[in-house]
Amino acid sequence: MAATQNLLPLVPYPVGATLLEVTDVARQQAPYLAKLLTRHQSHLDLSSTDALAEQCEAEIANVAGLSEALVAPFELERALRKAKQRVHLVLALLDLSCAWSQARVTDALTRFADAALDASLAVACGLHGVGRDGFFIFAFGKMGAYELNYSSDIDLAVFFDPDRFQGGRRGPQDTAIRIVREVCRLMETQTEEGYVFRTDLRLRPDPGATPAAVSTRRAGNYYREIGQNWERMAWIKARPCVGDLPAAHAFQADLSPFVWRRRLDYWTIADVHAIKRMINARVGDTELGVVDCDVKLGPGGIREIEFFAQTQQVILGGRDDTLRAPGTLDALAALAVGGCIPSEQAQKLSAAYAGLRAVEHRIQMLQDVQTHTLPSDDARRAQVSRLMGFDSLELFDGAVLHARKTVQDIYGTLFADDANEGAERRQGNFVFTGVDDDPATVATLQKMGFSNPERVIAAFRRWHVGYVPATRTERGRALLTTLTPRLLEAMSSTGEPSMAFAHFERFFEALNAGVQLLSMLDAEEDLLEDLVSSLAVAPRLARILAQRPALLESLVTRQSTEPFSVSSGATFGDAIDAARRYHRDRVFLIGHALLNGRLAARDAAKAWSDLARELVSAMAKVAAAETADKFGDAPGRWTIMAMGSFGGNELTAGSDLDMIVLYDPETDGAATRWFTRFTQRLTTALSAPTAEGVLYEVDMRLRPSGRAGPVAVRLSAFQRYHNADAWTWEHMALTRMSPVAGDDALASQAQEIASRAIDARRSTPSIADDVDQMRERLKQEKPAAGIWDLKHSDGGLVDIEFFVQKRLLLSGGPGAIVPNTHDALERLKRAGQIDGLRANRLQEAWTFLSALRQILALALDGAPDPKLFSTGLEARLCRAVKLKSFEDVSDRLQHHYEVVMQNF
């Protein structure tokens, strides 16, 4: 396209020299107008444009008169639809001939809409036997500003004063709703004659929670408490159109402090800026160059001109009432006169607005469909071009492009000093204001990978209205608006945006407050991406953060939680709740560090285990004190021994704790009862659910005789059992025993007893067979749930544990108790029990599998299914084992399984 063609003005030209020529062009190019001409041409006076103008005014006057006549509903339906057809036809001919200006055309369309609405209200009120006192309807948008299109919906909000509107026997609210329903039915029901106007009532306050007609008292409370900036902008064009107009004007005057704020705080202004960024967060030139553009919502379109004016009106209009013009062209002129924008900008935007509105009208002349998009088909687009008076489609396309580029260049200067504007990546439209799903936003979210864009839009709209505690305050809503584009981009970058959104939605809606959190996210750009990715990959962390959003601050400051302590004078209940709060905080910090690569898998295992040891030790002291308080001092010594993964410092997120309680009584008296009560209180302190949650699930089945034995085991009984009655698998468990809390000397005695018991049986011929049989039995009872069942798969962690424990039992001696599996392999290697290469391979496999298990335990609550792994989870698994791709991880996993089985 030649450069000169881009500079052509986008203005409509007469499509014919005479009205007959104009009529012929209309018939040839616009099927909707052709249909109207077939029906009504015989009633047209085509002698002059003045004659057509008189016909238009006569039609509007006739409709206005219907509100005073006693007309039956079906008669009104027919009369309104025929009148609409004639008004559309006459106005289209006046428009295409350029006999009337665009402003005069839209004014006439709006006055017709007012008259039709007024007649419908009169009939509806008559049906219900009530008057209009205290009942009124506001027109918004283009109808409110006398800028109505041919195929516009009419945006309405219906209000009633409950103290003045006499609702009859049904009461004001119910009657008002019934009147609204009847009005809408009369206006929009599709009959053989078509419809009059589609009505949209969603600009009323809080449309998701309010009836179709809203009391003035309820509306006033809404706007005062949680009214939003986009609603302020909507009210700029609001106009009382029918009903009790004095009451409507009084209501609008009461709302004036909401719409026109004399003092705007920083957060309100920031919210207006952020709304602009949401609307303008797009790719730009690549979308601007398309010929089948949306002249209203697309880049450089009508909405940008309207928003350019309205944002400055809402910010400056509270102090300068000359800027409060509802019409877009009047607003631009007022802003220029007031020195708010350069006159040249106002002139260029006004010209572009007039040209784009003319194109919009002609698009709608084709089929009377509410669309603003130029056809992609050249032949159909040429129809619009011809209706604009262009002889060349290429010239028309160039003129449209030039107008849109002009708008976009000027629109880009709006809030140009906003630092956030340039910092954001341009993904596409992010519009969550208003009541309609913005088509460009739906497309943008789809492009970003969201599977259900409508759900995302609905959630952000709900949050912006203040339906959740985090956005109940104006500042919270402003911060959310500012963060919205970055939030969505961060979700998209996880590779699973829908999953990321779902977890963020649960997290965000569970917050008790939001300003502090949102402020941190706004101030710390990396924190926002960190948060979103963590929530997407690890729902466990999301649940914790929802309860304790202040934990995010520790990520910024890199401060660690102070060691746990129980305050003096705390009750048993206070202590266990405090332990749960501390545990929750530490779980988040450990998990977050692991998830984001700041904590190695083996270090994470130790961190989880250290946390468990710290809390078991603390809760043991609390349980002992509680038992002593009720039953006297402990009648002897006690110790708590960790078993299994707990004993080996190999815990993961959410691990159960295997442990046993041993005691050595001073006398034979009531020691058993005291230590049983102590153990029961300890189990309660660790496992009982409270308002603060649960610390750990505790498993004491590794004590002598398992569930059949006492919960607290006397040291002498422990010795006797393991010397005479223990099974091989119970001695296997002893190889992982380590002290947690209590009397150190007693713990040492217990370990010595265990070591001697193992050593005494090392020469038993059946040990190796016993271990192998137990492994086979375990495979039958707990088969692997797939290749990613890292514990139970052939060659998995359990196989390595069985191998190590079998070798420890067979080696015996004082070194038979080595709780940590990796350390045990090292000990066996140095003692010559297994060769170095074999040990190294098993250690490598153990390290690899443990690293993957740490991530999966944090990210998943159930059995791992690789088909459901998000790309974010796959990336963290790769990082945990230092491989580049998830395919490499899967291959290496299979390799290690095979190596373990070869060396078992």
Side-chain angles (χ1 to χ4, degrees):
M1 187 176 297
T4 55
Q5 292 171 346
N6 289 346
L7 300 178
L8 288 173
L10 184 65
V11 296
Y13 302 98
V15 300
T18 67
L19 278 177
L20 286 176
E21 291 174 340
V22 171
T23 303
D24 286 342
V25 173
R27 190 190 309 275
Q28 295 165 13
Q29 305 298 333
Y32 172 60
L33 297 183
K35 181 175 67 176
L36 296 184
L37 283 166
T38 300
R39 292 184 179 182
H40 302 289
Q41 186 167 0
S42 61
H43 297 89
L44 289 178
D45 184 349
L46 297 175
S47 61
S48 69
T49 55
D50 287 344
L52 283 179
E54 289 178 6
Q55 278 193 279
C56 178
E57 295 300 337
E59 290 290 348
I60 295 173
N62 288 339
V63 171
L66 293 174
S67 64
E68 301 297 330
L70 297 176
V71 181
F74 73 92
E75 293 176 333
L76 181 65
E77 286 180 4
R78 183 176 178 83
L80 291 180
R81 283 152 181 77
K82 285 185 173 295
K84 175 208 171 177
Q85 293 175 10
R86 290 192 286 265
V87 167
H88 266 197
L89 179 57
V90 170
L91 283 176
L93 296 177
L94 291 168
D95 195 349
L96 293 171
S97 66
C98 295
W100 273 21
S101 68
Q102 183 182 106
R104 194 171 178 186
V105 170
T106 59
D107 175 83
L109 284 167
T110 305
R111 287 188 290 110
F112 170 73
D114 282 357
L117 187 64
D118 191 55
S120 298
L121 179 60
V123 168
C125 287
L127 285 175
H128 292 281
V130 297
R132 303 186 183 197
D133 287 351
F135 185 98
F136 47 87
I137 301 177
F138 273 84
F140 285 79
K142 288 183 170 59
M143 184 177 176
Y146 287 96
E147 297 173 342
L148 209 57
N149 291 337
Y150 288 101
S151 302
S152 285
D153 289 356
I154 54 176
D155 294 309
L156 308 173
V158 183
F159 301 96
F160 66 93
D161 182 343
D163 297 328
R164 297 186 55 195
F165 176 59
Q166 300 300 313
R169 64 184 180 84
R170 294 185 181 277
Q173 180 70 78
D174 188 36
T175 302
I177 293 172
R178 291 171 181 269
I179 288 173
V180 174
R181 288 174 181 166
E182 181 64 18
V183 168
C184 293
R185 189 193 68 78
L186 290 168
M187 294 286 281
E188 64 187 16
T189 298
Q190 187 80 30
T191 72
E192 62 181 10
E193 300 290 344
Y195 67 99
V196 190
F197 289 99
R198 292 174 295 268
T199 57
D200 191 335
L201 302 174
R202 291 174 299 166
L203 284 178
R204 69 185 185 273
D206 202 3
T210 55
V214 184
S215 76
T216 52
R217 189 177 302 121
R218 183 172 184 177
N221 289 337
Y222 170 85
Y223 289 121
R224 280 190 297 271
E225 294 174 8
I226 58 173
Q228 300 170 77
N229 282 316
W230 72 264
E231 290 175 302
R232 291 186 174 93
M233 286 184 251
W235 272 94
I236 291 174
K237 290 180 178 287
R239 173 178 61 86
C241 58
V242 298
D244 186 344
L245 296 183
H249 285 294
F251 176 69
Q252 190 169 24
D254 288 341
L255 286 185
S256 183
F258 162 71
V259 181
W260 306 109
R261 299 178 65 175
R262 295 190 63 83
R263 292 183 178 86
L264 295 180
D265 58 34
Y266 166 79
W267 297 107
T268 302
I269 295 174
D271 183 50
V272 176
H273 287 214
I275 293 173
K276 188 257 182 175
R277 290 198 301 277
M278 284 201 300
I279 291 176
N280 198 39
R282 62 165 175 269
V283 174
D285 290 341
T286 56
E287 294 183 7
L288 193 63
V290 299
V291 292
D292 55 337
C293 62
D294 186 326
V295 297
K296 177 182 178 181
L297 302 178
I302 294 166
R303 180 179 58 187
E304 290 187 355
I305 303 172
E306 294 173 334
F307 189 83
F308 183 91
Q310 289 177 321
T311 51
Q312 295 175 90
Q313 285 180 289
V314 80
I315 290 173
L316 303 173
R319 297 184 298 276
D320 185 352
D321 56 12
T322 66
L323 303 178
R324 301 179 184 181
T328 302
L329 295 177
D330 292 339
L332 290 170
L335 288 166
V337 170
C340 306
I341 62 173
S343 296
E344 183 182 7
Q345 283 191 349
Q347 292 167 3
K348 288 182 177 180
L349 288 177
S350 296
Y353 179 82
L356 292 170
R357 287 298 307 275
V359 173
E360 181 182 38
H361 281 190
R362 282 146 181 81
I363 292 171
Q364 295 176 353
M365 287 178 188
L366 297 182
Q367 297 292 349
D368 188 29
V369 174
Q370 189 194 21
T371 181
H372 322 280
T373 302
L374 280 163
S376 58
D377 178 72
D378 286 354
R380 292 186 60 217
R381 199 167 66 260
Q383 292 178 310
V384 180
S385 169
R386 184 70 185 88
L387 292 173
M388 282 288 291
F390 281 74
D391 293 327
S392 163
L393 177 59
E394 187 178 15
L395 293 177
F396 170 71
D397 286 343
V400 172
L401 177 60
H402 174 63
R404 293 170 63 222
K405 279 186 174 179
T406 300
V407 172
Q408 192 172 59
D409 288 345
I410 297 173
Y411 182 68
T413 67
L414 184 62
F415 310 141
D417 58 344
D418 183 355
N420 289 323
E421 177 75 18
E424 293 168 0
R425 303 205 317 268
R426 299 295 182 249
Q427 287 273 16
N429 274 22
F430 294 132
V431 180
F432 304 99
T433 58
V435 293
D436 289 314
D437 289 354
D438 174 50
T441 300
V442 172
T444 297
L445 293 174
Q446 288 173 333
K447 181 178 67 177
M448 295 173 73
F450 290 92
S451 60
N452 189 348
E454 292 78 12
R455 176 187 169 187
V456 177
I457 293 171
F460 274 93
R461 186 178 291 133
R462 185 170 67 247
W463 299 340
H464 282 297
V465 174
Y467 278 172
V468 295
T471 56
R472 291 276 162 79
T473 66
E474 187 171 10
R475 184 181 176 191
R477 294 190 292 275
L479 283 165
L480 176 65
T481 303
T482 300
L483 289 167
T484 294
R486 285 168 49 201
L487 271 172
L488 291 167
E489 290 173 2
M491 292 174 190
S492 180
S493 67
T494 66
E496 295 290 342
S498 295
M499 183 184 299
F501 171 76
H503 292 317
F504 181 83
E505 180 182 32
R506 284 193 290 270
F507 157 71
F508 192 67
E509 295 192 354
L511 293 172
N512 294 322
V515 170
Q516 182 181 5
L517 167 69
L518 293 170
S519 297
M520 281 194 294
L521 296 179
D522 188 39
E524 300 285 340
E525 186 169 347
D526 291 343
L527 183 61
L528 184 142
E529 294 184 6
D530 199 346
L531 168 66
V532 170
S533 63
S534 296
L535 295 179
V537 176
R540 186 190 305 273
L541 301 187
R543 292 191 291 268
I544 294 173
L545 265 185
Q547 296 173 293
R548 288 271 290 141
L551 283 170
L552 285 178
E553 188 172 358
S554 64
L555 300 183
V556 177
T557 60
R558 298 286 186 254
Q559 292 178 347
S560 60
T561 306
E562 293 294 323
F564 177 71
S565 62
V566 179
S567 59
S568 59
T571 65
F572 183 66
D574 292 340
I576 64 176
D577 277 342
R580 282 152 175 74
R581 289 190 292 270
Y582 175 82
H583 175 262
R584 187 171 59 213
D585 292 0
R586 291 295 300 161
V587 166
F588 174 78
L589 295 174
I590 295 169
H592 184 274
L594 170 63
L595 199 62
N596 290 281
R598 291 192 285 271
L599 188 66
R602 190 171 186 190
D603 294 333
K606 186 174 186 305
W608 297 123
S609 302
D610 286 347
L611 174 62
R613 289 173 179 275
E614 180 183 13
L615 288 171
V616 170
S617 179
M619 291 299 95
K621 292 176 182 177
V622 169
E626 175 75 3
T627 309
D629 184 59
K630 288 183 166 54
F631 303 105
D633 292 338
R637 301 176 298 159
W638 56 267
T639 185
I640 299 171
M641 307 298 288
M643 310 292 284
S645 296
F646 185 21
N649 285 339
E650 296 167 358
L651 294 182
T652 63
S655 287
D656 294 351
L657 302 185
D658 292 311
M659 60 188 196
I660 60 175
V661 177
L662 301 174
Y663 70 93
D664 185 25
E666 295 173 348
T667 63
D668 288 337
T672 298
R673 180 176 298 177
W674 194 99
F675 285 108
T676 297
R677 288 168 172 165
F678 159 69
T679 305
Q680 291 169 340
R681 281 165 174 74
L682 173 62
T683 303
T684 297
L686 294 172
S687 300
T690 74
E692 299 291 347
V694 173
L695 276 183
Y696 297 98
E697 294 297 329
V698 174
D699 189 340
M700 292 190 172
R701 288 176 297 174
L702 291 178
R703 68 186 185 269
S705 300
R707 288 194 182 98
V711 292
V713 181
R714 188 189 293 251
L715 184 65
S716 58
F718 176 81
Q719 181 177 18
R720 183 169 55 253
Y721 181 84
H722 281 288
N723 284 337
D725 301 321
W727 295 78
T728 300
W729 69 266
E730 291 176 298
H731 280 183
M732 288 173 64
L734 293 182
T735 66
R736 311 199 71 189
M737 185 174 69
S738 63
V740 177
D743 187 87
D744 292 339
L746 183 60
S748 296
Q749 284 181 258
Q751 286 185 299
E752 180 65 23
I753 290 169
S755 180
R756 288 178 179 175
I758 293 171
D759 190 58
R761 293 186 59 184
R762 65 175 173 169
S763 59
T764 302
S766 64
I767 286 180
D769 288 340
D770 288 347
V771 174
D772 292 342
Q773 289 173 13
M774 281 185 286
R775 177 65 186 115
E776 289 303 317
R777 190 181 309 123
L778 184 60
K779 286 182 179 181
Q780 296 297 321
E781 295 174 357
K782 292 186 177 180
I787 188 175
W788 280 87
D789 187 338
L790 303 174
K791 285 187 65 177
H792 298 105
S793 289
D794 287 344
L797 293 167
V798 171
D799 277 339
I800 300 174
E801 290 173 0
F802 268 70
F803 174 87
V804 169
Q805 290 164 29
K806 179 166 66 172
R807 291 302 184 277
L808 290 173
L809 292 184
L810 292 173
S811 65
I817 299 179
V818 188
N820 182 267
T821 304
H822 190 280
D823 293 347
L825 282 166
E826 190 67 25
R827 185 258 179 196
L828 291 168
K829 178 173 64 174
R830 291 181 179 178
Q833 300 295 322
I834 57 176
D835 67 78
L837 180 60
R838 193 179 195 186
N840 291 341
R841 287 173 176 171
L842 291 174
Q843 283 178 319
E844 184 180 347
W846 176 264
T847 300
F848 183 89
L849 295 173
S850 297
L852 296 179
R853 186 177 177 226
Q854 284 291 340
I855 299 296
L856 292 177
L858 183 64
L860 304 177
D861 290 325
D865 182 350
K867 295 190 295 293
L868 302 179
F869 288 0
S870 68
T871 54
L873 176 55
E874 290 179 354
R876 280 157 177 78
L877 291 170
C878 291
R879 183 168 59 194
V881 293
K882 300 180 180 178
L883 291 176
K884 292 183 178 181
S885 72
F886 185 66
E887 289 75 15
D888 290 341
V889 175
S890 298
D891 291 343
R892 188 68 60 84
L893 174 61
Q894 189 62 54
H895 166 75
H896 282 303
Y897 283 158
E898 293 170 359
V899 167
V900 171
M901 293 307 295
Q902 291 166 4
N903 289 275
F904 189 74

